[in-house]
Structure formats: structure tokens, C-alpha cells
């Protein structure tokens, strides 16, 4: 009896052997076997590929620098026919003879050179192939091999000159370096699970290794592939290997066992920073930065579960960056302190507040796979959805949902709806309205307390709130702070209409109430919850500079500093501008002159927490009306000039104290939001 198994089922069951109608048994899962010879110095590339495609009518792509020199199936020559091109990528087509299982392709050429002008974005877009003795990167999207199917297993053997090392994601099968230093380095890798692509990296690396034992799943081979000068930095290799181990243990515990037997930290000549299965490829200069091991490394390790473990169909929305940001970057902030976690939520909401209405996509249509300013809102909102989801269903159900999602979808493509299903099962209830509103709607709710009143009632006090939101209304559970005799008490309220009236009993007459002071709900923040930070001045479209002092030396230093701080040259204005127009103003001068100018304009005086400290002080003024004002106050012209280098780097701060060039202290003004007075309605 013969059974024909469709391509869809084959993807889901990669290990199954299908018996096709002709009676010939063949390995059903699409696979690729590659034998690659790469000479980074001359950029010569040659490969022999054995492809088991998903369909007999096989289409594949190759970069324009690579030409097929021989093609056969079961020993018989086959024709490779052009099938179009997109930019530097050519499409090809082969009709596999009936009964033939594998296509053999020989191809090669001279790869493009390393392009040092590319940033993280350029590399992530994956278009270039690049080779050089400093480092080579052949990304899957660059079409350096014939891809058998959207998901496929592979085995790659790569050979490079003996002063180079090379790798692809997967299990290391063998590795050899002929003695005498005159041969070639060869290494073989296998990726037996369905993979979405293969990236190949090579470089002048020293390989260091540590074996990490595991209770289940056997040991994990941890490696660094660093250039000699990086490898020589005391403690760096050990630091990376030990921290990698810590992250693998953490996420193995939280989500499910690490699905591979290796993890490598690989240095790139470009300022990249991204994760692939079994490795992360990070710029050599970036690897030296002290905070990378505390943040990016964990993020990239976690992508072995999200993105490279459970795959993303980008056409259906990118859930992976949000979940990874939530379980890595954000989780580290939570571990640091509640304040640090709040600051991260504020940063997401601030980015969102800065986007003009109608310019942010819904999460379901957010497809970007690029880290960058344009993507910041999408990632922030996506991560915040997980913060809110955990608040809604509770820590335990959230954990079960994460584990179940991994268990069910590892090495398959999953979408937001698969995530929703996993969390619904874990929580034991429908989350359709939760996911519906956060995924399908752009923007966010704008909620206000329109009225708060209270009345004594049988020894207690009944508090009644009128909560309004812009239509169409969101269904929200909102944290509410109630201030009673100077003490804050937290409750939560449920709203779902344009106008909701909510009542509750409290112990005594409250002075005031405040919505979501900890910023746990994605929404349009009002000005009282957005503390002014210097970035608002830096990126201003028509910034203004007001001089407080008349001394020529000081005025010149102020003009030079303003040129450095603002992206657009500022307009010189008089001190009257502090109360005129809407565009940001920066007031600069000597301490006494600044104090006089502030008093004259009726603005708040120098904050007491800054007065008397350092050689220069910088602060922003939070105000309800009038143009945004920031102040730079220095003890002399020299102290002002000292800020030329450092000040532009502190856009995220509300205030700073400098001693010369050094920032002694800095921070963001607290902004819990407006306290709404409660009317006594006795
Ligand atoms: Zn990421």
C-alpha cells in the first residue's frame, strides 16, 4: 500500500519517511547538504550542494556573484533555467526528474567585499554577502545557497585557510586543522531540526571552549570565536562563557530545556548584534562594552527559544521581539528594582507619545524584524502587552502559558494567535478581547478621571469615579492610587465604555486619586506623566537659545554648546521667549544671571537638590503651559565649555550635575501624574 503525504504534513513531521506514488522511498523532509570552500582573503567561494527540495518543480535563489557550473540529479544532468531577479538576487528553476530524490549543484564565484559602512540595520536586512580576512558574513537572506523549502534541515562542511575559523548554526560534528600550519581548517555542522535559513560566518578567530554539564539533555559546548586582540583581554572570554551559561540555565528553567548542544559568542567586524540558533554574532567593538553581558547577551541567548526556536511568520506580525524584550531586557530591569522597570515602561510610553497619531501600525500588522528607532514603538508596545497580560492572568498562569507555547511550537512557525491559545489554556478563559484590542487596533487608549466624589456611608466612605476614554473604548483593568491622610493605597478598576462610573468603599475620606501611577497600562500619557528630558530639546525642529549672561566669553561658549546639543542650529532669542511661543527654549548662562532670568520670567527657581553642586547644572522645567524650558547654568565660561563633549550624550535625563566634563549625578524628574482631588459630597 502506498500513502502520499502532502508537503504541509511533511513540514510538521520532518522525520517521517514518505512513500511516493512511484514506489520509490525517499527522505521526505526537505534537506540541504553543503560542502563549502571559502577563501576570505581572495573572496573566492565554491560549493557543492545536495538538495532534497520540497517539490519536484524546484525554484531557488542565488546571489548574482554566484554561478551554477554543474547540475545533476541521480547522475543525470538537469537544466537550470533563469526565473527572474530582484536586485542582486537571481531566481532559478529546475524540473526534478521523476523519482530523483536529490539535486546536485556545483556553484561558486567571487563574493562582494566587506562593507564597513553597514550598520546593524543594513546587516539585519540581510541583503549583502561579504567576505574579507577580517571577517566574512553570508546571511541566509543573501542567497548564498539553494534553499530547499521554507523550513529544512541541513549539514554544512566549511573549509577555510588555516588562519581562519568558520561556523554555521548547529551541532558541531567534526573539526580539523592539519598540523604544520599549512593546511585548511575544516568543520562540519548539522542542524537536524527544521531551520528557516543558514548563516555562515568566518573570521581570524581564536576559539575558546567550556563544557557546561546539564541534568537533562547532555552537556552544552560553550565557545567564543574572538579575534586575537579581543581574546587577549583579561577575563573577557571567561566572562562571556560564564554569563552565557547563566542565561542558558535561567531560560532552560523558565521555558524548557535549551534545545541545542552548543552556544557560541562570535565576534563580527561590523557593529552587529543579533542572535541565531546556537550562537550570537556581535560586533568586536561592542563585545568590549561592559553592559553587553548584562543585557544584549541574555537577549540574544533567549532568541534561541523565541525567533530561532519558535519561528516567526513576519507577514503575520512579529511577536518574538516583544516576548524576548519582556523576558530579557525588561526582566533584568525588574530584577534590578521596581524603579528601573518603571523607567523602562516610561521610555516605551514616551516613544509612543512622540509618534504622531495615525503613524503607528497595529501590532498585528507590525512586521519589522529590524531593531531601530522606527521599530521602537512596535517593540515597546509588544513587550508591554506581555507586562499587561501577566498582570491580567497572574504570574503562575503566565508561566504555564509560556512553557506550553514552547512545548507545542518549538521548531515550527507560530503567530500571535498561537500565543493567545496557549495563554487562554493556561488561564482557563478567553483572552479574545484582550488580544483583539492590543493587536488589531493601532495607538492606545486615552483615559482620564473626569470626576471623583466621596460620601460617608455606614462608618465607611463610598468613593465614586467617573472615568472617560476616547471612543472606541478599550476594556481595561486600571491601577488606581487612592491617597488617604497622606498614605497611598492601590486598587484596580475595570472600565470598558466611553464613560464608566465606578464605586468602591474605602476607610476614610480620600484627598485624591491618581490613575496608573506606575504606568502598567499601554496608553496615551498626559503631560503630567511625561517628565521633560533633554532629548526633547536635542531633536526640536525649531529650537531657541536664550542667553542669561552679558559676558562675551560666556555667550560664545553658550552658542558653541547649543550648536553641539541641538540637531538643528538654534534661533537666538531674548529672555522674553521663556514665556512666548511653543518651541523649546534653552536658557544658558552663569549661576547668578540664570537665577535672575528665571525669577524675572516667573519660572520655578533652581531646584534645591542641584544648587551648590558641581561646576555646572542642567535641568528641565516641567510646566503646565508655555514653551518647554531647559536650563544650563555654569560657574564660569570654562565650566560651560567643558559640557561640549558630554552633554549631547545625556538626552534621556531631566537633570544633571557636572564637575568639569564629568557627570556627578543625573536623573529623570518623578512624574506620577496628576492627583485628582476628591469632592466631599456629604
Ligand atoms: Zn531581538
Amino acid at each position: 500500500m502506498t500513502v502520499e503525504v502532502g508537503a504541509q504534513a511533511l513540514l510538521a513531521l520532518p522525520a517521517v519517511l514518505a512513500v511516493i506514488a512511484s514506489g520509490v522511498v525517499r527522505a521526505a523532509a526537505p534537506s540541504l547538504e553543503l560542502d563549502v570552500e571559502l577563501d576570505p582573503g581572495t573572496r573566492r567561494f565554491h560549493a557543492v550542494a545536495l538538495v532534497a527540495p520540497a517539490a519536484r518543480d524546484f525554484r531557488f535563489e542565488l546571489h548574482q556573484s554566484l554561478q551554477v557550473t554543474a547540475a545533476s540529479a541521480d547522475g543525470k544532468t538537469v537544466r537550470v533555467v533563469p526565473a527572474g531577479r530582484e536586485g542582486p538576487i537571481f531566481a532559478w528553476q529546475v524540473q526534478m526528474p521523476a523519482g530523483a530524490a536529490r539535486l546536485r549543484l556545483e556553484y561558486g564565484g567571487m563574493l562582494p567585499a566587506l562593507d564597513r559602512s553597514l550598520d546593524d540595520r543594513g546587516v539585519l536586512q540581510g541583503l549583502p554577502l561579504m567576505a574579507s580576512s577580517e571577517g566574512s558574513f553570508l546571511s541566509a537572506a543573501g542567497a548564498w545557497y539553494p534553499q530547499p523549502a521554507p523550513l529544512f534541515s541541513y549539514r554544512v562542511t566549511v573549509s577555510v585557510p588555516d588562519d581562519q575559523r568558520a561556523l554555521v548554526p548547529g551541532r558541531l560534528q567534526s573539526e580539523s586543522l592539519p598540523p604544520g600550519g599549512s593546511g585548511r581548517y575544516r568543520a562540519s555542522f548539522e542542524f537536524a531540526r527544521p531551520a528557516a535559513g543558514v548563516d555562515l560566518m568566518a573570521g581570524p578567530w581564536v576559539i575558546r571552549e567550556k563544557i557546561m554539564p546539564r541534568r537533562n539533555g547532555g552537556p552544552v559546548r560553550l565557545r567564543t570565536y574572538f579575534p586575537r586582540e579581543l581574546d587577549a583581554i583579561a577575563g573577557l572570554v571567561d566572562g562571556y562563557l560564564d554569563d552565557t551559561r547563566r542565561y542558558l540555565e535561567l531560560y532552560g528553567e523558565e521555558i524548557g530545556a535549551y534545545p541545542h548542544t552548543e552556544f557560541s559568542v562570535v565576534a563580527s567586524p561590523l557593529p552587529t548584534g543579533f542572535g541565531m540558533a546556537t550562537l550570537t554574532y556581535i560586533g568586536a567593538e561592542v563585545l568590549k562594552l561592559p553592559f553587553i553581558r548584562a543585557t544584549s547577551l541574555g537577549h540574544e541567548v533567549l532568541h534561541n527559544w523565541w525567533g530561532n526556536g519558535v519561528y516567526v511568520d513576519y507577514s503575520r506580525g512579529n511577536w518574538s521581539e516583544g516576548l524576548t524584550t519582556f523576558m530579557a531586557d525588561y526582566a533584568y530591569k525588574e530584577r534590578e528594582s521596581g524603579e528601573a522597570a518603571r523607567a523602562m515602561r516610561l521610555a516605551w510610553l514616551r516613544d509612543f507619545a512622540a509618534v504622531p497619531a495615525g503613524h503607528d501600525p497595529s501590532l498585528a500588522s507590525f512586521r519589522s524584524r529590524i531593531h531601530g528607532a522606527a521599530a521602537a514603538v512596535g517593540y515597546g508596545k509588544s513587550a508591554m502587552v506581555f507586562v499587561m497580560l501577566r498582570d491580567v492572568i497572574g504570574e503562575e498562569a503566565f508561566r504555564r502559558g509560556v512553557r506550553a507555547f514552547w512545548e507545542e511550537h518549538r521548531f515550527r512557525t507560530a503567530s500571535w494567535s498561537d500565543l493567545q491559545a496557549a495563554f487562554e489554556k493556561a488561564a482557563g478563559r478567553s483572552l479574545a478581547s484582550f488580544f483583539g484590542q492590543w493587536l488589531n487596533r493601532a495607538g492606545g487608549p486615552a483615559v482620564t478621571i473626569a470626576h471623583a466624589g466621596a460620601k460617608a456611608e455606614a462608618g465607611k466612605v463610598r468613593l465614586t469615579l467617573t472615568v472617560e476614554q476616547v471612543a472606541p473604548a478599550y476594556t481595561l483593568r486600571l491601577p488606581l492610587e487612592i491617597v488617604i491622610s497622606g498614605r497611598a493605597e492601590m486598587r484596580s478598576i475595570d472600565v470598558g465604555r466611553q464613560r464608566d462610573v465606578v464605586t468602591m468603599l474605602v476607610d476614610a475620606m480620600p484627598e485624591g486619586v491618581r490613575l496608573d501611577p506606575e504606568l502598567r497600562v499601554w496608553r496615551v500619557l498626559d503631560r503630567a506623566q511625561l517628565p521633560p528630558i533633554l532629548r526633547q530639546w536635542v531633536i526640536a525642529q525649531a529650537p531657541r537659545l536664550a542667553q542669561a549672561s552679558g559676558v562675551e566669553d560666556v555667550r560664545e561658549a553658550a552658542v558653541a554648546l547649543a550648536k553641539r546639543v541641538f540637531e538643528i542650529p538654534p534661533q537666538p532669542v531674548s529672555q522674553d521667549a521663556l514665556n512666548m511661543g511653543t518651541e523649546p527654549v534653552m536658557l544658558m548662562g552663569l549661576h547668578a544671571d540664570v537665577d535672575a532670568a528665571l525669577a524675572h520670567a516667573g519660572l520655578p527657581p533652581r531646584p534645591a537638590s542641584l544648587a551648590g553642586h558641581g561646576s555646572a547644572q542642567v535641568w528641565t522645567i516641567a510646566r503646565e503651559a508655555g514653551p518647554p524650558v531647559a536650563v544650563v547654568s555654569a560657574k564660569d565660561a570654562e565650566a560651560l565649555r567643558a559640557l561640549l563633549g558630554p552633554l549631547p550624550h545625556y538626552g534621556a535625563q531631566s537633570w544633571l550635575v557636572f564637575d568639569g566634563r564629568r557627570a556627578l549625578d543625573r536623573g529623570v524628574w518623578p512624574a506620577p501624574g496628576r492627583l485628582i482631588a476628591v469632592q466631599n459630597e456629604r
Side-chain angles (χ1 to χ4, degrees):
M1 205 178 106
T2 58
V3 181
E4 192 164 343
V5 181
Q8 269 315 104
L10 295 183
L11 284 183
L13 299 167
V16 170
L17 285 180
V19 181
I20 61 167
S22 66
V24 178
V25 177
R26 69 174 197 188
S31 69
L32 173 68
E33 236 172 82
L34 263 182
D35 208 324
V36 175
E37 239 176 76
L38 174 65
D39 288 303
T42 60
R43 300 177 356 236
R44 265 188 26 80
F45 172 99
H46 180 261
V48 176
L50 289 172
V51 193
R56 197 183 288 161
D57 175 22
F58 176 48
R59 288 171 63 98
F60 64 94
E61 294 171 338
L62 276 185
H63 189 267
Q64 62 185 6
S65 61
L66 302 171
Q67 280 84 42
V68 175
T69 51
S72 61
D74 287 354
K76 278 171 282 192
T77 302
V78 294
R79 264 163 45 85
V80 178
V81 187
R85 86 177 272 189
E86 213 184 306
I89 312 251
F90 282 76
W92 301 96
Q93 197 164 11
V94 171
Q95 198 61 38
M96 292 282 284
R102 294 213 286 188
L103 173 69
R104 184 182 183 279
L105 286 175
E106 243 184 278
Y107 64 102
M110 193 197 268
L111 296 170
L114 174 74
D115 182 354
R116 277 207 166 273
S117 71
L118 284 170
D119 58 4
D120 194 8
R121 242 178 128 91
V123 175
L124 268 171
Q125 275 164 341
L127 292 173
L129 299 180
M130 46 181 84
S132 102
S133 42
E134 286 172 80
S136 305
F137 180 57
L138 312 186
S139 89
W144 63 276
Y145 60 87
Q147 178 146 339
L151 295 179
F152 61 101
S153 61
Y154 62 80
R155 202 175 295 166
V156 174
T157 300
V158 52
S159 147
V160 286
D162 65 0
D163 57 346
Q164 293 266 318
R165 300 290 180 267
L167 80 163
V168 299
R171 177 197 279 263
L172 181 68
Q173 301 285 99
S174 66
E175 184 174 45
S176 67
L177 183 65
S182 57
R184 294 178 71 83
Y185 171 82
R186 276 174 73 85
S188 296
F189 299 85
E190 183 185 49
F191 203 84
R193 318 263 195 188
V198 196
D199 304 292
L200 186 148
M201 287 138 280
W205 298 313
V206 179
I207 301 176
R208 304 280 177 197
E209 177 177 293
K210 260 187 194 175
I211 301 296
M212 159 186 162
R214 274 195 300 184
R215 258 177 294 139
N216 307 311
V220 179
R221 185 195 299 272
L222 307 178
R223 283 186 162 191
T224 52
Y225 290 75
F226 285 180
R228 206 158 287 285
E229 66 278 10
L230 201 61
D231 182 77
I233 296 176
L236 196 69
V237 164
D238 280 334
Y240 273 99
L241 294 177
D242 293 346
D243 285 340
T244 298
R245 173 179 178 156
R246 202 161 51 75
Y247 289 122
L248 288 172
E249 285 171 347
L250 170 72
Y251 293 120
E253 195 67 35
E254 253 179 59
I255 305 167
Y258 179 61
H260 305 293
T261 47
E262 19 269 297
F263 190 90
S264 304
V265 181
V266 183
S268 154
L270 295 174
T272 59
F274 52 94
M276 303 161 204
T278 74
L279 64 92
T280 179
Y281 190 50
I282 301 182
E285 286 308 310
V286 180
L287 283 166
K288 291 178 192 164
L289 301 175
F291 56 86
I292 292 300
R293 272 159 50 198
T295 54
S296 311
L297 180 63
H299 181 109
E300 302 306 347
V301 167
L302 181 53
H303 270 313
N304 272 273
W305 282 264
W306 313 135
N308 300 321
V310 182
Y311 304 125
V312 179
D313 174 355
Y314 288 93
S315 67
R316 294 168 70 197
N318 179 355
W319 53 268
S320 140
E321 278 311 326
L323 186 53
T324 304
T325 301
F326 172 72
M327 292 185 71
D329 314 50
Y330 181 71
Y332 310 150
K333 293 288 178 193
E334 273 192 329
R335 222 158 294 156
E336 188 186 319
S337 71
E339 222 158 90
R342 185 189 188 277
M344 185 168 258
R345 295 193 297 272
L346 173 61
W348 296 336
L349 289 167
R350 182 192 289 282
D351 286 342
F352 170 51
V355 176
H359 280 70
D360 53 335
S362 71
L363 275 188
S365 66
F366 176 71
R367 286 157 193 189
S368 174
R369 53 196 305 175
I370 302 162
H371 297 256
V377 177
Y379 289 163
K381 183 174 186 180
S382 179
M384 190 72 157
V385 164
F386 293 103
V387 175
M388 294 188 288
L389 179 64
R390 191 184 53 183
D391 281 351
V392 166
I393 66 174
E395 183 114 38
E396 258 320 294
F398 187 86
R399 224 178 150 77
R400 281 199 305 274
V402 162
R403 298 182 70 90
F405 176 67
W406 167 247
E407 191 57 43
E408 206 166 315
H409 298 284
R410 48 202 224 123
F411 301 109
R412 299 187 198 192
T413 301
S415 64
W416 277 110
S417 55
D418 297 313
L419 267 169
Q420 179 181 336
F423 285 114
E424 284 181 334
K425 211 164 157 193
R429 65 179 171 101
S430 165
L431 295 167
S433 67
F434 178 90
F435 278 97
Q437 70 187 10
W438 295 121
L439 298 188
N440 299 327
R441 290 177 59 179
V447 199
T448 50
I449 296 177
H451 180 79
K455 205 187 265 189
E457 184 180 304
K460 291 264 188 182
V461 170
R462 178 164 296 277
L463 175 63
T464 303
L465 305 175
T466 306
V467 181
E468 291 180 350
Q469 49 173 317
V470 175
Y474 280 74
T475 301
L476 303 170
R477 169 156 292 183
L478 288 166
L480 177 77
E481 182 184 327
I482 307 172
V483 179
I484 302 176
S485 353
R487 274 188 317 104
E489 182 185 324
M490 289 307 299
R491 299 271 183 105
S492 60
I493 55 173
D494 292 303
V495 296
R497 287 173 298 182
Q498 252 177 282
R499 185 185 171 87
D500 282 279
V501 177
V502 185
T503 80
M504 70 194 77
L505 287 176
V506 292
D507 290 335
M509 190 56 67
E511 289 121 57
V513 289
R514 194 180 264 139
L515 269 185
D516 190 21
E518 285 298 309
L519 311 176
R520 301 197 73 90
V521 175
W522 184 263
R523 62 201 167 86
V524 181
L525 291 187
D526 60 36
R527 215 167 161 180
Q529 283 194 304
L530 284 172
I533 55 173
L534 291 171
R535 184 148 53 96
Q536 291 160 243
W537 281 261
V538 172
I539 64 168
Q541 286 307 297
R544 299 181 290 169
L545 170 66
Q547 298 269 7
S549 305
V551 187
E552 202 45 45
D553 197 18
V554 175
R555 293 176 73 92
E556 273 169 22
V559 168
L561 180 57
K563 265 194 200 143
R564 290 272 309 167
V565 168
F566 294 113
E567 283 177 1
I568 291 170
Q571 193 71 32
V573 289
S574 74
Q575 290 178 21
D576 296 340
L578 296 172
N579 284 312
M580 280 162 51
T582 53
E583 286 299 325
V585 190
M586 194 169 265
L587 174 69
M588 292 196 194
L590 301 181
H591 292 329
D593 301 329
V594 163
D595 289 336
L598 291 174
H600 184 74
L603 284 163
R606 179 185 308 269
S609 54
L610 308 187
H613 298 293
S615 58
Q617 300 147 10
V618 181
W619 72 94
T620 63
I621 297 175
R623 58 198 303 212
E624 292 275 319
V629 173
V631 182
V632 179
S633 177
K635 78 171 179 7
D636 50 32
E638 188 51 43
L640 211 49
R641 277 192 290 270
L643 306 182
L644 279 169
L647 191 56
H649 299 291
Y650 289 103
Q653 307 301 324
S654 296
W655 60 266
L656 295 123
V657 175
F658 285 95
D659 185 27
R661 296 177 47 85
R662 198 161 63 91
L664 292 180
D665 206 358
R666 59 183 197 237
V668 174
W669 298 128
R674 194 171 324 177
L675 189 71
I676 309 289
V678 175
Q679 311 298 323
N680 191 339
E681 290 168 350
R682 197 171 343 187

